[in-house]
Short mmCIF file of all heavy atoms in Angstrom, two decimals:
data_model
loop_
_atom_site.label_atom_id
_atom_site.label_comp_id
_atom_site.label_asym_id
_atom_site.label_seq_id
_atom_site.Cartn_x
_atom_site.Cartn_y
_atom_site.Cartn_z
N GLU A 66 120.36 105.85 84.76
CA GLU A 66 121.40 106.47 84.07
C GLU A 66 120.89 107.49 83.05
O GLU A 66 121.34 108.62 82.92
CB GLU A 66 122.40 105.48 83.37
CG GLU A 66 123.33 104.87 84.35
CD GLU A 66 124.09 103.67 83.80
OE1 GLU A 66 124.16 103.51 82.54
OE2 GLU A 66 124.58 102.82 84.60
N GLN A 67 119.85 106.98 82.31
CA GLN A 67 119.25 107.86 81.32
C GLN A 67 118.60 109.04 81.92
O GLN A 67 118.81 110.20 81.60
CB GLN A 67 118.20 107.04 80.58
CG GLN A 67 118.75 106.12 79.46
CD GLN A 67 119.44 106.88 78.28
OE1 GLN A 67 119.23 108.13 78.19
NE2 GLN A 67 120.22 106.28 77.49
N VAL A 68 117.66 108.76 82.86
CA VAL A 68 116.83 109.81 83.44
C VAL A 68 117.70 110.78 84.17
O VAL A 68 117.40 112.00 84.15
CB VAL A 68 115.72 109.25 84.30
CG1 VAL A 68 114.93 110.28 85.04
CG2 VAL A 68 114.72 108.31 83.39
N GLY A 69 118.67 110.30 84.89
CA GLY A 69 119.60 111.18 85.63
C GLY A 69 120.22 112.13 84.61
O GLY A 69 120.43 113.36 84.85
N ALA A 70 120.70 111.72 83.46
CA ALA A 70 121.31 112.50 82.50
C ALA A 70 120.41 113.59 81.98
O ALA A 70 120.72 114.74 81.81
CB ALA A 70 121.90 111.67 81.34
N TRP A 71 119.13 113.23 81.75
CA TRP A 71 118.12 114.17 81.27
C TRP A 71 117.83 115.18 82.37
O TRP A 71 117.63 116.43 82.05
CB TRP A 71 116.83 113.49 80.89
CG TRP A 71 116.98 112.45 79.83
CD1 TRP A 71 117.95 112.53 78.76
CD2 TRP A 71 116.15 111.32 79.58
NE1 TRP A 71 117.80 111.38 77.97
CE2 TRP A 71 116.77 110.69 78.45
CE3 TRP A 71 115.08 110.66 80.21
CZ2 TRP A 71 116.20 109.48 77.91
CZ3 TRP A 71 114.60 109.51 79.70
CH2 TRP A 71 115.14 108.89 78.55
N MET A 72 117.82 114.78 83.65
CA MET A 72 117.60 115.72 84.74
C MET A 72 118.74 116.75 84.79
O MET A 72 118.51 117.93 84.90
CB MET A 72 117.47 115.01 86.06
CG MET A 72 116.15 114.26 86.24
SD MET A 72 116.23 113.22 87.80
CE MET A 72 114.54 112.90 88.04
N ARG A 73 119.95 116.22 84.63
CA ARG A 73 121.11 117.14 84.77
C ARG A 73 121.04 118.16 83.56
O ARG A 73 121.36 119.31 83.76
CB ARG A 73 122.43 116.35 84.71
CG ARG A 73 122.87 115.86 86.13
CD ARG A 73 124.17 115.22 86.14
NE ARG A 73 124.07 113.81 85.67
CZ ARG A 73 123.78 112.78 86.49
NH1 ARG A 73 123.57 112.96 87.73
NH2 ARG A 73 123.66 111.56 85.96
N ASP A 74 120.70 117.63 82.38
CA ASP A 74 120.63 118.53 81.20
C ASP A 74 119.66 119.69 81.45
O ASP A 74 119.70 120.75 80.88
CB ASP A 74 120.08 117.86 79.95
CG ASP A 74 121.22 117.07 79.34
OD1 ASP A 74 122.34 117.24 79.69
OD2 ASP A 74 120.96 116.25 78.32
N ALA A 75 118.56 119.37 82.30
CA ALA A 75 117.53 120.35 82.59
C ALA A 75 117.90 121.25 83.81
O ALA A 75 117.07 121.91 84.33
CB ALA A 75 116.21 119.66 82.79
N GLY A 76 119.15 121.13 84.20
CA GLY A 76 119.65 122.01 85.27
C GLY A 76 119.39 121.45 86.67
O GLY A 76 119.48 122.35 87.66
N MET A 77 119.13 120.28 86.83
CA MET A 77 118.81 119.72 88.09
C MET A 77 120.09 119.01 88.78
O MET A 77 120.91 118.51 88.08
CB MET A 77 117.67 118.70 88.03
CG MET A 77 116.38 119.33 87.70
SD MET A 77 114.96 118.13 87.64
CE MET A 77 114.81 118.09 85.88
N VAL A 78 120.08 119.01 90.06
CA VAL A 78 121.08 118.29 90.82
C VAL A 78 120.41 116.93 91.13
O VAL A 78 119.29 116.85 91.70
CB VAL A 78 121.48 119.00 92.15
CG1 VAL A 78 122.40 118.12 92.94
CG2 VAL A 78 122.09 120.29 91.80
N VAL A 79 121.10 115.83 90.81
CA VAL A 79 120.49 114.52 90.86
C VAL A 79 120.99 113.67 92.09
O VAL A 79 122.20 113.54 92.29
CB VAL A 79 120.69 113.75 89.57
CG1 VAL A 79 120.10 112.41 89.52
CG2 VAL A 79 120.14 114.62 88.35
N THR A 80 120.08 113.09 92.74
CA THR A 80 120.39 112.15 93.76
C THR A 80 119.52 110.92 93.73
O THR A 80 118.47 110.89 93.12
CB THR A 80 120.26 112.74 95.25
OG1 THR A 80 118.90 113.27 95.29
CG2 THR A 80 121.24 113.85 95.42
N ARG A 81 120.06 109.87 94.35
CA ARG A 81 119.18 108.66 94.47
C ARG A 81 119.08 108.36 95.97
O ARG A 81 120.02 108.40 96.75
CB ARG A 81 119.75 107.47 93.79
CG ARG A 81 118.78 106.28 93.70
CD ARG A 81 119.19 105.34 92.68
NE ARG A 81 120.36 104.51 93.15
CZ ARG A 81 120.96 103.61 92.44
NH1 ARG A 81 120.69 103.49 91.19
NH2 ARG A 81 122.01 102.96 92.95
N ASP A 82 117.85 108.03 96.42
CA ASP A 82 117.67 107.78 97.90
C ASP A 82 117.78 106.28 98.16
O ASP A 82 118.03 105.45 97.22
CB ASP A 82 116.36 108.44 98.41
CG ASP A 82 115.16 108.01 97.64
OD1 ASP A 82 115.20 106.86 97.06
OD2 ASP A 82 114.07 108.57 97.79
N ASN A 83 117.61 105.91 99.43
CA ASN A 83 117.85 104.55 99.85
C ASN A 83 116.82 103.56 99.26
O ASN A 83 117.19 102.47 98.90
CB ASN A 83 117.84 104.39 101.32
CG ASN A 83 119.10 105.00 101.92
OD1 ASN A 83 120.20 104.54 101.62
ND2 ASN A 83 118.95 106.07 102.75
N ILE A 84 115.60 103.97 99.09
CA ILE A 84 114.56 103.05 98.56
C ILE A 84 114.76 102.79 97.01
O ILE A 84 114.40 101.83 96.45
CB ILE A 84 113.13 103.53 98.91
CG1 ILE A 84 112.13 102.42 98.62
CG2 ILE A 84 112.78 104.76 98.07
CD1 ILE A 84 112.13 101.27 99.59
N GLY A 85 115.44 103.81 96.40
CA GLY A 85 115.70 103.76 95.00
C GLY A 85 114.88 104.69 94.13
O GLY A 85 114.64 104.50 92.89
N ASN A 86 114.43 105.76 94.73
CA ASN A 86 113.77 106.91 93.97
C ASN A 86 114.96 107.66 93.36
O ASN A 86 115.91 108.04 94.09
CB ASN A 86 112.91 107.82 94.79
CG ASN A 86 111.81 107.15 95.50
OD1 ASN A 86 111.11 106.35 94.81
ND2 ASN A 86 111.50 107.46 96.75
N LEU A 87 114.79 108.11 92.07
CA LEU A 87 115.77 109.08 91.55
C LEU A 87 115.17 110.47 91.69
O LEU A 87 113.97 110.64 91.39
CB LEU A 87 116.05 108.75 90.06
CG LEU A 87 117.25 109.48 89.47
CD1 LEU A 87 118.52 108.89 89.98
CD2 LEU A 87 117.23 109.19 87.95
N ARG A 88 115.96 111.47 92.21
CA ARG A 88 115.44 112.75 92.43
C ARG A 88 116.25 113.80 91.75
O ARG A 88 117.50 113.77 91.81
CB ARG A 88 115.35 113.10 93.90
CG ARG A 88 114.71 111.99 94.76
CD ARG A 88 114.41 112.53 96.21
NE ARG A 88 114.10 111.58 97.15
CZ ARG A 88 113.56 111.89 98.37
NH1 ARG A 88 113.36 113.09 98.62
NH2 ARG A 88 113.31 110.93 99.16
N GLY A 89 115.58 114.75 91.08
CA GLY A 89 116.29 115.88 90.49
C GLY A 89 115.76 117.19 91.14
O GLY A 89 114.57 117.38 91.11
N ARG A 90 116.71 118.05 91.59
CA ARG A 90 116.28 119.28 92.17
C ARG A 90 116.61 120.45 91.37
O ARG A 90 117.80 120.68 90.96
CB ARG A 90 116.79 119.41 93.58
CG ARG A 90 116.32 120.52 94.37
CD ARG A 90 116.80 120.51 95.88
NE ARG A 90 116.33 121.70 96.53
CZ ARG A 90 115.25 122.00 97.12
NH1 ARG A 90 114.25 120.94 97.15
NH2 ARG A 90 114.91 123.06 97.69
N TYR A 91 115.62 121.29 91.14
CA TYR A 91 115.87 122.65 90.45
C TYR A 91 115.60 123.69 91.40
O TYR A 91 114.47 123.86 91.90
CB TYR A 91 114.88 122.62 89.19
CG TYR A 91 115.16 123.80 88.31
CD1 TYR A 91 116.21 123.90 87.51
CD2 TYR A 91 114.23 124.93 88.30
CE1 TYR A 91 116.42 125.00 86.62
CE2 TYR A 91 114.40 126.03 87.45
CZ TYR A 91 115.47 126.08 86.62
OH TYR A 91 115.68 127.13 85.78
N GLU A 92 116.60 124.42 91.78
CA GLU A 92 116.43 125.45 92.81
C GLU A 92 115.57 126.61 92.49
O GLU A 92 115.47 126.88 91.28
CB GLU A 92 117.85 125.96 93.23
CG GLU A 92 118.72 125.04 93.97
CD GLU A 92 118.07 124.50 95.30
OE1 GLU A 92 117.27 125.19 95.90
OE2 GLU A 92 118.49 123.40 95.76
N GLY A 93 114.93 127.18 93.45
CA GLY A 93 114.17 128.29 93.29
C GLY A 93 115.00 129.66 93.24
O GLY A 93 116.16 129.52 93.32
N ALA A 94 114.22 130.69 93.14
CA ALA A 94 114.90 132.03 92.96
C ALA A 94 115.75 132.32 94.18
O ALA A 94 116.87 132.95 94.15
CB ALA A 94 113.88 133.11 92.78
N ALA A 95 115.35 131.94 95.34
CA ALA A 95 116.06 132.24 96.64
C ALA A 95 116.15 130.97 97.50
O ALA A 95 115.23 130.22 97.53
CB ALA A 95 115.34 133.35 97.34
N PRO A 96 117.34 130.82 98.23
CA PRO A 96 117.36 129.58 99.00
C PRO A 96 116.38 129.69 100.18
O PRO A 96 115.88 130.71 100.55
CB PRO A 96 118.83 129.74 99.60
CG PRO A 96 119.39 131.11 99.23
CD PRO A 96 118.46 131.72 98.17
#
Side-chain angles (χ1 to χ4, degrees):
E66 276 165 25
Q67 283 290 348
V68 174
W71 300 332
M72 286 173 164
R73 276 186 280 274
D74 280 352
M77 288 182 256
V78 174
V79 180
T80 53
R81 190 165 73 188
D82 60 19
N83 286 299
I84 193 71
N86 299 316
L87 193 70
R88 307 195 196 193
R90 186 172 174 87
Y91 186 75
E92 287 304 335

